[in-house]
């Protein structure tokens, strides 16, 4: 028997099957091959059709079953991970009323900022652990103000994962973790933030039924079974946003553990048991997948826009057309630590929350045409991104995180010894690289919910451990370079 996990991203949907008896992954695939379209009718807007998500979920399921040769009647349950912060609105007939306003849409920034000031920063920070910001409820307020005829028809507000669960089960449900990512959960009162809804003039009745993250959240209907090709009656057993789910997939559940990703943008997601914060702008605080009132587990999320996109830019514009990322890493390794004085600030991918939403672009310092070459540029790029991760971890430490472990996926940046050794050495912590995906994690979480695994730890396989980067002994050479880089950062962003 098997569990299936889905990871709904904004570019594609990944699906995975795991064995119910062992937790071992037996197949992973994605659909579509080309990136899903993001609709941008105006600058700063980003929308997608939720019904297209559902069609692609159905197609990726059939693709995975065909690829693995597993019969659909062997599937015991479903886990769902999804792109965070998106808004889906449906009417009383559970029909989508407009395209989803997704995570990277910025139209509600001013609404969130005005609400933050209007309610009071102290109230928001103490109860929500965040500013309302450009998150789900602020996006719904935008619909209320700008599309009143649509707003009047709304019966339920959903996150992207809630919508997929709705299509599977015909039940509108959500989770505490999901409500917290939409900045709709009051951690002090342990209930939806009705006072915030009231301030925005939105009825709390729009919130769906709240179900546990790990639980039977409804079963596949006859209609959904025909469309997706999974058995009628099997349960949806788990649901979480992509970053909490990624941390869960990397076996990060306890205070002090950090899950890091180094994709186009970088994420440092730290687990803490503290329901306080001094950083409501630079850091987001969400209920982690194993959160409870009695045993709070908060995920402190710090995003770094200018991460892998900078190294990708180097590949397109600096490296030879035949160079792979591995070739680039080898070339960068021919240059000593510090890139012989060349330093790069990687913040060239839009406004950086960790820099108080400033956007001054990437910067090069001390470039010497008589000394520096392509190899120096590549090493300085990797070091600059690594330094931005270290700076982010420093911000998290200043907000109460006591670092004990770092786990990361086996992506391009963390495959680089320069990148990973620099971080491990500067924060004096091992980095364990684990070869897994969010879809695999979601499938395993379904198995935990069903009871095939007694604990989350039991669901994981040691075979997925790729390697460990240890802090290097000669730390001073790294700290000296990092200190100079931080001086560049302060000069550039304090102008």
């Amino acid at each position: 028997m098997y569990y299936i996990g889905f990871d709904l991203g904004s570019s594609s949907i990944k699906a995975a099957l795991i064995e119910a008896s062992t937790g071992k992954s037996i197949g992973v695939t994605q659909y579509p091959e080309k990136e899903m379209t993001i609709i941008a009718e105006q600058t700063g807007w980003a929308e997608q059709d939720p019904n297209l998500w559902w069609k692609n979920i159905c197609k990726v399921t059939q693709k995975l079953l065909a690829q693995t040769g597993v019969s659909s009647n062997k599937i015991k349950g479903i886990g769902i991970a999804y792109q965070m912060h998106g808004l889906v609105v449906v009417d009383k007939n559970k029909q989508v009323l407009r395209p989803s306003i997704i995570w990277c849409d910025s139209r509600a920034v001013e609404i969130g900022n005005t609400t933050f000031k209007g309610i009071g920063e102290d109230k928001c920070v103490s109860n929500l652990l965040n500013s309302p910001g450009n998150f789900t409820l602020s996006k719904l307020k935008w619909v209320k103000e700008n599309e009143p005829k649509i707003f009047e028809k709304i019966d339920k507000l959903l996150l992207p994962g809630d919508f997929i669960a709705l299509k599977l089960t015909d039940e509108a449900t959500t989770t505490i973790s999901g409500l917290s990512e939409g900045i709709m959960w009051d951690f002090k009162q342990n209930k939806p933030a009705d006072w915030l809804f009231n301030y925005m003039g939105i009825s709390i009745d729009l919130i769906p039924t709240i179900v546990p993250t790990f639980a039977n959240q409804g079963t596949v209907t006859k209609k959904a079974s025909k469309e997706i090709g999974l058995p009628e009656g099997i349960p949806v057993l788990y649901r979480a946003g992509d970053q909490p789910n990624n941390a869960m997939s990397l076996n990060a559940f306890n205070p002090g553990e950090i899950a890091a990703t180094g994709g186009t943008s970088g994420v440092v997601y730290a687990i803490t048991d503290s329901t306080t914060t001094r950083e409501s702008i630079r850091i987001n605080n969400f209920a982690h997948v194993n959160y409870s009132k009695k045993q709070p587990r908060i995920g402190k999320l710090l995003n770094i826009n200018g991460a892998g996109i900078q190294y990708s830019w180097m590949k397109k514009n600096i490296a030879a057309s035949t160079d792979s990322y591995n070739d680039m890493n080898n070339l960068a390794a021919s240059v000593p630590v510090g890139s012989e004085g060349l330093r790069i600030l990687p913040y060239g991918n839009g406004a950086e929350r960790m820099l108080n939403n400033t956007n001054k672009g990437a910067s090069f310092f001390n470039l010497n045409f008589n000394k520096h070459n392509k190899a120096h540029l590549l090493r300085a790029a990797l070091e600059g991104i690594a330094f931005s991760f270290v700076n982010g971890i420093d911000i998290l430490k200043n907000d109460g995180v006591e670092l004990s472990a770092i786990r990361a996926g086996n992506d391009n940046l963390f495959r680089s010894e320069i990148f990973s050794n620099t971080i491990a050495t500067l924060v004096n912590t091992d980095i364990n690289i684990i070869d897994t995906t969010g879809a695999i994690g979601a499938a395993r979480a379904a198995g935990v919910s069903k009871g095939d695994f007694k604990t989350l730890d039991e669901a994981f396989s040691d075979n997925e451990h790729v390697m460990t980067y240890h802090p290097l002994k000669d730390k001073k050479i790294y700290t000296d370079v990092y200190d100079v880089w931080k001086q560049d950062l302060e000069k550039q962003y304090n102008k």
Side-chain angles (χ1 to χ4, degrees), residues 133-203:
N134 183 43
F135 295 107
T136 311
L137 192 60
S138 297
K139 291 168 181 173
L140 182 58
K141 172 69 169 175
W142 183 93
V143 174
K144 182 177 188 291
E145 291 181 349
N146 294 274
E147 299 173 345
K149 291 183 179 179
I150 290 175
F151 184 81
E152 289 173 3
K153 298 177 183 177
I154 297 174
D155 182 60
K156 296 299 176 191
L157 73 96
L158 305 169
L159 296 156
D162 300 339
F163 174 74
I164 298 305
L166 173 70
K167 295 297 290 185
L168 287 164
T169 68
D170 201 38
E171 296 180 32
T173 57
T174 193
T175 64
I176 289 175
S177 180
L179 290 174
S180 78
E181 80 180 57
I183 318 303
M184 295 179 275
W185 187 255
D186 186 318
F187 285 91
K188 267 194 171 180
Q189 299 182 32
N190 196 39
K191 66 177 186 177
D194 49 4
W195 49 271
L196 180 59
F197 278 75
N198 291 337
Y199 183 88
M200 290 190 173
I202 297 171
S203 172

Side-chain angles (χ1 to χ4, degrees), residues 233-463:
I234 66 167
V236 174
L237 294 165
Y238 165 84
R239 187 184 333 169
D242 52 11
Q243 293 305 328
N245 180 75
N246 179 65
M248 187 276 302
S249 303
L250 293 169
N251 202 14
F253 302 105
N254 302 308
E257 296 175 344
I258 281 180
T261 57
T264 299
S265 60
V267 170
V268 184
Y269 185 95
I271 314 301
T272 178
D273 57 5
S274 172
T275 53
T276 63
T277 182
R278 295 187 296 270
E279 293 281 0
S280 60
I281 300 296
R282 295 195 293 177
I283 296 172
N284 299 128
N285 297 269
F286 306 123
H288 193 37
V289 295
N290 58 340
Y291 171 86
S292 69
K293 179 66 175 176
K294 291 183 178 179
Q295 191 177 50
R297 292 293 182 267
I298 303 296
K300 289 183 175 289
L301 189 154
L302 184 137
N303 189 72
I304 306 161
N305 286 347
I309 192 171
Q310 183 196 220
Y311 209 45
S312 173
W313 185 91
M314 289 282 176
K315 188 175 191 297
K316 292 175 184 175
N317 296 284
I318 303 298
S321 59
T322 56
D323 282 350
S324 65
Y325 281 114
N326 191 52
D327 294 329
M328 292 165 61
N329 294 340
N330 290 335
L331 186 57
S334 68
V335 173
V337 175
S339 305
E340 295 192 275
L342 177 60
R343 300 179 298 278
I344 299 177
L345 301 180
Y347 307 110
N349 190 29
E352 290 281 356
R353 285 179 61 80
M354 66 181 291
L355 300 174
N356 294 308
N357 287 315
T358 48
N359 182 9
K360 296 188 178 181
S363 304
F364 291 67
F365 290 87
N366 203 34
L367 177 61
N368 187 319
F369 297 131
N370 297 310
K371 178 168 62 176
H372 297 133
N373 56 37
K374 179 169 64 176
H376 292 87
L377 287 167
L378 295 177
R379 174 146 200 148
L382 286 170
E383 289 180 335
I385 304 167
F387 293 155
S388 70
F389 271 72
V390 174
N391 189 45
I393 291 171
D394 287 343
I395 293 171
L396 288 165
K397 286 180 178 177
N398 289 333
D399 199 39
V401 172
E402 297 182 6
L403 177 60
S404 62
I406 299 176
R407 300 186 180 98
N410 192 25
D411 52 37
N412 284 329
L413 281 177
F414 281 98
R415 287 193 195 111
S416 163
E417 289 189 9
I418 292 171
F419 177 78
S420 295
N421 282 337
T422 299
I423 297 174
T425 302
L426 285 170
V427 302
N428 195 34
T429 304
D430 287 351
I431 300 177
N432 287 300
I433 305 300
I434 301 169
D435 188 15
T436 189
T437 71
I440 292 173
R444 285 178 174 153
V448 172
S449 182
K450 187 72 171 177
D452 278 321
F453 310 112
K454 293 180 181 178
T455 65
L456 289 163
D457 285 341
E458 191 179 296
F460 292 88
S461 170
D462 291 337
N463 294 335

Side-chain angles (χ1 to χ4, degrees), residues 7 25 28 38 49 69 73 115 118 124 128 139 154 162 164 193 203 240 266 305 311 337 369 472 474 481:
D7 188 359
S25 168
V28 182
I38 295 178
D49 178 5
N73 61 16
T115 303
C124 290
L128 304 172
K139 291 168 181 173
I154 297 174
D162 300 339
I164 298 305
S203 172
N305 286 347
Y311 209 45
V337 175
F369 297 131
L472 302 178
D474 190 3
V481 174

